[in-house]
Amino acid sequence: MYSRKEKWMKLQDLKHAGLKKWIDEVAALTKPEAIVIADGSDAQYQQLVDEMVASGLATPLNPEKKPGSIAFFSDPSDVARVENRTYIAAASKEAAGPTNNWIDPTELKKTMTGLYDGCMKGRTLYVIPFSMGPVGSNIAKIGVELTDSAYVVTNMMIMTRVGEKVLDVLGSDGEYVQCLHSVGKPLADGESDEGKWPCAPIEQKYISHFPESREIWSYGSGYGGNALLGKKCLALRIASVLAKDEGWLAEHMLILKITNPEGEAKYVAAAFPSACGKTNLAMLVPTIPGWKVETIGDDIAWMKFGADGRLYAINPEAGFFGVAPGTSLDSNPNAMYSLEKNSIFTNCALTEDNDVWWEGIGYDAPSKLTDWKGNEWVQDKGNKEQAPASHPNARFTAPASQCPSIAPEWEDPKGVPIDAILFGGRRPHTVPLVHQARDWNHGVFLGSIVGSEITAAALDLKAGTIRRDPFAMLPFCGYHMGEYFEHWINLGKTHDQSKMPKIFYVNWFRKTDDGKWLWPGFGENSRVLKWVFEACAGTAKTQDTAIGIMPTADAIDRPEGVSEDDMAELLCLDRDGWLKEVADIRENHYPKFGDKLPKELADMLDIMENNLKAVDASASCGSCC
Ligand code: GTP
Ligand code: SPV
Ligand code: MN
C-alpha cells in the first residue's frame, strides 16, 4: 500500500508505538495511497514544491524577484477561517461556553469519522511532527498533524519546527497533541486534483477541538487557521485549556522588544483581533529618533510566570502568516524583507513576470495581472467598485529568521519578561489613542470589553460592523469565556502585582467624520509605545480620568500631519460615547456570560459608569467627539 516516496523516513522507523498506532488507524480510515513522514529537510520541502508545481497547484515565482518562493490560489470559497464551522466539542455545552459552537463530542466524532472514511483515496497522507516553541524547551509543546495537503506541509515547515529532531524529543512514549486534517474532497477512481485546490462545501467543513482529550479534527478546508493546525487550533484553542489548568496564558498576542535611546529595553505583548495590526506593530520601524523596536512574535504568545514572579513570553511559532494587502516598504518594510525569498503566497495577484502584487503594496499594478481567481485584471483607478486583484485576506508565509528586526532572543527557551500588555482593535470612535488600566483587574476589564470592526480574516462575518472580541480571543478560546476572564483575575490574586505587566488599551483606528484616519498609524505608533515605555518606567505624563490613566495633552509628540485639534480628539474623554459603551456592555455583552462573569468585572463596569456620570458633561471633550 505505502509504496511511494520510499526515500523518506519510513513508518516502521518510528520509535513511538502510540504514534504509529494512531497513524495506522487514521490510514485504515482515510485510505491514502501513500504515507510520507515530514523530516523537515530542505530536500523534502523542495520535492513537495516540485510535485505541487508539476500538478499545477503551485506557481513557481520568478527566481530573480522572489527566490525559492511559490504562489497558491485557493478555491474562491476557501479563503479564511470559518468561525461558524469551528467547534469546541467539550464534554458539555456549558464547558464550551456561550461564545463557542458546540456539538456533543461523540456525535461529532461519528459524523466526522463518516466524512474521513476513504477521504484520502488517491492522495498521500503526510505525517508532520512539529514543535510549537524551540525544540526541547520546557515551554514548547509537540503536535503531530496528519494531513492530505502538501500545501499544509510546506506551510507548517515554515510556521513551526518540523521533523526528525521533534521525533527525537518525543522519544518512544512522549506526549503530543493529535491533529488530524483533510482537505475533504475525496477523489473518484482515476480522478486527480489536476491543480485544483480541493476543499469541501461549507456544510461539510468542521474545525473541531476536543479539549478533554486534547485532539483536533479538521475537515474540508485547506486554508490558514483551518488547516495549519499548530496555529490557532493547538497554540490557542487547545493551549488555552492547558494554560487554565496549569496556571499560565496562551494568547493571541504579538511580542516586541522596545529599546530607548539610553539602551534600556522593555518587552510588550499586544492582543488585537485578526487583521488589526499585530504583525505591523511587531515589526514597527520607529519614527522617533534613537528608539528601536525588535520582533519576538507577531500572532501568538505563551506566557508563564518565572521564579522571580515575572511573566515570561515565548513565541511558539517559527514563521509569519501575515496579511498581504496593505503591506509595503512604507507601512511594514521588515515584513517586505522577510518575504523576499523562501516564502509562500496565498491568494495574492500574479504579475506577468511571475511576481506577486497586492492592493497597498506601495506601487501601481503593472499593466496586466492575473487576479487571485485566475482572471486577467487591469487596474481601473477610476472605478472604486473594482474587485481587488488580491483577496483582502491574502497571506504571505515567511520564515521569522528572515525578518531583519527579529530580536536576538526570539528563540530563547525561557522567554522574555513582559513589562506591558496592550489591548486594541478597530474603533472609529469613542476609544482614545491610548489609556492605561489602574491595576490588574481594571486591565482584565479592558481586555474583556475589546471590540473591533469586523475584518476579512473570518469568512462568515459581516465586514465593517463592530463586535466584541474580548482579549482578541473570541474565536480562539477553547473553553467558557467567563472562566477565561476568571483565570486572568485569579492570576492577579495569586501573583505579586508589582511584578506583573502594566495593561493598556490602544486604538490606531480612529476616523474623522468623512472616514479618514485620524492617526497615521504604523511607524508613528512608536510615539504611543514611548508613552507606554515611560508609563512602565514611572516617568510618563499622565492624568487620572473616568476610564483610566490617560496621557496629558502634551505627553505624546504630534506626528507630521496631525493637528493640535486632531490630537485633542484622539486623546479626549468621550463621556457620552463611553456611556453608550457601558450600556452596550451591560445589555448585550456581559449578560452572555451569566453567573460565570467574575464579580470583579461587573464591579468595574459600575465604577466606570459612576465615574463617567460624575464627569461634567459640558466640560467633557468639547466639540471634538
Ligand atoms: P492576523 O494575522 O489576522 O492576526 O492580523 P494582524 O493583527 O497581524 O494584522 P496586520 O498587522 O496584518 O494588519 C492588518 C491590516 O491592518 C493591514 O492591512 C495593515 O495595513 C493594517 N494596519 C496595521 N497597522 C495599522 C495602523 O497602525 N493603522 C492603520 N490605519 N492600519 C493598520
Ligand atoms: C487570524 O485570523 O488571526 C490569523 C490568520 O492570524 S489564521 O492563521 O487563518 O488564523
Ligand atoms: Mn492572528
Side-chain angles (χ1 to χ4, degrees):
M1 178 183 179
Y2 311 127
S3 55
R4 220 149 57 87
K5 302 174 188 169
E6 277 186 339
K7 69 191 227 199
W8 308 115
M9 186 179 183
K10 297 196 188 60
L11 206 53
Q12 53 267 35
D13 298 335
L14 286 178
K15 287 194 223 74
H16 195 294
L19 174 58
K20 226 174 349 195
K21 182 163 170 275
W22 176 53
I23 297 169
D24 280 338
E25 283 165 8
V26 169
L29 175 65
T30 59
K31 305 177 182 66
E33 174 191 295
I35 298 181
V36 166
I37 299 174
D39 62 7
S41 67
D42 293 346
Q44 196 184 43
Y45 183 91
Q46 196 51 50
Q47 172 163 347
L48 292 171
V49 167
D50 293 346
E51 287 174 7
M52 288 189 286
V53 169
S55 80
L57 184 63
T59 306
L61 295 179
N62 185 332
E64 280 173 16
K65 309 256 168 163
K66 295 278 182 303
S69 302
I70 43 177
F72 291 89
F73 306 94
S74 78
D75 185 275
S77 70
D78 199 27
V79 291
R81 286 181 294 100
V82 278
E83 294 189 8
N84 62 350
R85 304 296 304 171
T86 299
Y87 297 91
I88 300 298
S92 71
K93 186 167 172 29
E94 172 70 4
T99 57
N100 284 313
N101 299 312
W102 179 83
I103 297 178
D104 173 76
T106 313
E107 184 191 325
L108 182 56
K109 282 200 166 172
K110 197 168 156 215
T111 307
M112 291 189 73
T113 301
L115 290 168
Y116 282 130
D117 190 356
C119 74
M120 297 190 187
K121 270 187 199 156
R123 295 205 179 92
T124 300
L125 166 57
Y126 298 97
V127 177
I128 316 172
F130 64 94
S131 175
M132 299 309 291
V135 179
S137 149
N138 62 353
I139 308 188
K141 297 255 177 260
I142 291 179
V144 178
E145 178 161 355
L146 304 188
T147 178
D148 51 9
S149 162
Y151 169 84
V152 166
V153 185
T154 47
N155 274 274
M156 286 290 285
M157 284 172 80
I158 297 176
M159 293 305 298
T160 72
R161 286 109 173 150
V162 167
E164 287 186 45
K165 51 189 189 291
V166 179
L167 290 173
D168 289 344
V169 173
L170 196 57
S172 59
D173 60 356
E175 262 185 45
Y176 66 97
V177 177
Q178 293 185 345
C179 309
L180 173 54
H181 171 253
S182 171
V183 293
K185 192 176 180 299
L187 293 168
D189 279 347
E191 191 191 357
S192 81
D193 285 322
E194 283 165 357
K196 284 200 254 16
W197 173 283
C199 62
I202 184 81
E203 66 282 2
Q204 280 179 17
K205 289 190 210 286
Y206 289 92
I207 320 300
S208 307
H209 308 73
F210 302 92
E212 282 85 7
S213 55
R214 327 285 197 217
E215 286 168 283
I216 300 159
W217 285 20
S218 167
Y219 184 91
S221 167
Y223 202 88
N226 300 330
L228 313 177
L229 301 186
K231 197 171 174 60
K232 298 304 172 31
C233 298
L234 194 164
L236 290 179
R237 298 197 189 94
I238 294 293
S240 62
V241 176
L242 299 173
K244 175 180 157 267
D245 291 351
E246 298 167 6
W248 52 284
L249 292 164
E251 300 298 330
H252 191 202
M253 290 182 182
L254 68 93
I255 311 164
L256 65 80
K257 175 185 185 183
I258 176 164
T259 309
N260 72 6
E262 289 73 45
E264 292 155 46
K266 297 205 183 292
Y267 295 96
V268 179
F272 311 151
S274 301
C276 290
K278 288 182 300 300
T279 301
N280 277 271
L281 191 69
M283 299 179 189
L284 168 149
V285 178
T287 50
I288 36 176
W291 289 73
K292 186 166 154 189
V293 167
E294 290 162 282
T295 312
I296 315 274
D298 82 323
D299 197 49
I300 297 174
W302 284 356
M303 301 190 282
K304 294 192 178 175
F305 286 92
D308 60 358
R310 299 196 65 190
L311 192 56
Y312 285 80
I314 67 155
N315 169 14
E317 302 191 279
F320 309 124
F321 185 65
V323 178
T327 307
S328 68
L329 279 176
D330 196 33
S331 66
N332 191 349
N334 287 314
M336 292 300 276
Y337 297 130
S338 305
L339 57 76
E340 263 180 344
K341 55 186 181 202
N342 310 322
S343 294
I344 298 175
F345 298 86
T346 312
N347 290 345
C348 302
L350 201 61
T351 65
E352 281 185 294
D353 59 354
N354 277 19
D355 195 2
V356 283
W357 187 87
W358 50 74
E359 279 68 21
I361 198 169
Y363 46 87
D364 282 346
S367 59
K368 217 185 331 166
L369 286 173
T370 307
D371 72 11
W372 70 279
K373 290 182 173 171
N375 301 319
E376 187 178 301
W377 191 92
V378 178
Q379 191 163 27
D380 178 3
K381 285 195 189 165
N383 177 6
K384 291 260 175 297
E385 307 286 293
Q386 188 181 27
S390 66
H391 186 275
N393 193 39
R395 299 260 169 178
F396 57 83
T397 317
S401 58
Q402 289 182 183
C403 181
S405 62
I406 202 79
E409 61 272 52
W410 83 280
E411 297 195 275
D412 187 338
K414 71 174 190 312
V416 295
I418 298 297
D419 296 285
I421 291 175
L422 318 184
F423 295 112
R426 292 175 181 258
R427 294 299 306 263
H429 306 289
T430 311
V431 179
L433 181 61
V434 59
H435 65 297
Q436 186 189 346
R438 288 183 205 92
D439 55 26
W440 182 261
N441 281 357
H442 187 219
V444 177
F445 170 74
L446 295 185
S448 79
I449 65 167
V450 165
S452 190
E453 272 189 327
I454 284 168
T455 65
L459 194 65
D460 42 338
L461 301 168
K462 195 167 170 295
T465 52
I466 288 181
R467 75 160 172 177
R468 298 274 161 212
D469 186 348
F471 292 75
M473 280 291 277
L474 183 75
F476 308 120
C477 182
Y479 61 102
H480 195 300
M481 196 107 213
E483 286 178 17
Y484 168 94
F485 296 157
E486 197 186 12
H487 178 49
W488 270 79
I489 296 276
N490 284 343
L491 292 178
K493 287 185 187 153
T494 48
H495 293 86
D496 177 353
Q497 294 220 3
S498 70
K499 294 181 178 161
M500 290 174 75
K502 306 257 185 297
I503 301 180
F504 301 79
Y505 195 135
V506 298
N507 180 20
W508 321 136
F509 296 95
R510 284 288 289 263
K511 281 188 181 159
T512 60
D513 287 340
D514 51 0
K516 298 213 176 69
W517 298 121
L518 201 48
W519 176 253
F522 303 100
E524 299 291 15
N525 294 335
S526 56
R527 296 172 195 274
V528 177
L529 289 182
K530 174 172 177 270
W531 186 79
V532 166
F533 185 110
E534 291 164 352
C536 292
T539 59
K541 290 190 193 168
T542 62
Q543 54 183 332
D544 280 321
T545 77
I547 58 167
I549 303 164
M550 289 180 69
T552 54
D554 61 343
I556 296 176
D557 289 340
R558 271 188 296 128
E560 219 175 289
V562 175
S563 68
E564 228 168 288
D565 283 354
D566 292 341
M567 204 63 199
E569 189 169 343
L570 285 159
L571 292 179
C572 82
L573 174 69
D574 177 1
R575 172 186 183 271
D576 294 345
W578 275 103
L579 280 170
K580 282 194 202 127
E581 197 73 5
V582 169
D584 181 54
I585 296 164
R586 207 182 277 299
E587 283 156 35
N588 304 315
H589 182 44
Y590 274 181
K592 283 194 208 124
F593 307 104
D595 59 8
K596 294 259 161 99
L597 182 80
K599 183 173 179 307
E600 289 84 349
L601 297 187
D603 289 349
M604 282 291 167
L605 187 61
D606 292 343
I607 293 169
M608 180 158 87
E609 181 167 27
N610 290 336
N611 288 348
L612 286 163
K613 284 187 174 155
V615 172
D616 179 356
S618 60
S620 118
C621 93
S623 59
C624 60
C625 295

